[in-house]
Amino acid sequence: MNAAIPRYSGAPRAIAYLRSYYTPTGRILNPMLAVHTSYDPLVPVMIPNMYASTVEAAGTERLFVQKYVKHDGHCNIQPEEISRAFAETAGLEE
């Protein structure tokens, strides 16, 4: 399904900049929904869990919702699971 989507490599200078200067603050201004596969071999579950802690420390946890789907693979999330996640979080207040 995703075979036709172009893939891009990050510019080495941009990657170096992010590694050196970007630290997520958790100070989000708009509602944010993150949907993650439980058995992702590239991004372990501890990564999105760390962001949940970050938004909590910033006092914006009311704007952040983390949902999980039980699948193997990176971003192996079915369209109906995405729709359900949005429907379940539709009442998030700004």
Side-chain angles (χ1 to χ4, degrees), residues 1-7 74-77:
M1 178 168 100
N2 292 328
I5 296 174
R7 305 291 193 249
H74 180 64
C75 295
N76 184 19
I77 304 161

Side-chain angles (χ1 to χ4, degrees), residues 64-84:
F64 180 72
V65 174
Q66 175 69 57
K67 297 283 186 179
Y68 294 94
V69 294
K70 291 184 179 181
H71 296 296
D72 291 328
H74 180 64
C75 295
N76 184 19
I77 304 161
Q78 304 304 309
E80 62 275 4
E81 293 167 326
I82 295 169
S83 295
R84 187 171 45 251

Side-chain angles (χ1 to χ4, degrees), residues 5-94:
I5 296 174
R7 305 291 193 249
Y8 302 95
S9 296
R13 288 182 58 203
I15 293 169
Y17 179 88
L18 286 173
R19 285 191 177 134
S20 296
Y21 299 107
Y22 175 71
T23 302
T25 64
R27 292 182 298 233
I28 55 178
L29 303 175
N30 297 300
M32 180 178 172
L33 169 64
V35 182
H36 189 77
T37 52
S38 298
Y39 308 105
D40 187 329
L42 299 177
V43 182
V45 171
M46 66 182 231
I47 300 297
N49 287 348
M50 288 186 330
Y51 194 72
S53 298
T54 301
V55 295
E56 183 177 355
T60 58
E61 67 274 9
R62 66 181 174 67
L63 295 173
F64 180 72
V65 174
Q66 175 69 57
K67 297 283 186 179
Y68 294 94
V69 294
K70 291 184 179 181
H71 296 296
D72 291 328
H74 180 64
C75 295
N76 184 19
I77 304 161
Q78 304 304 309
E80 62 275 4
E81 293 167 326
I82 295 169
S83 295
R84 187 171 45 251
F86 273 107
E88 290 173 355
T89 58
L92 272 180
E93 295 181 22
E94 294 186 40

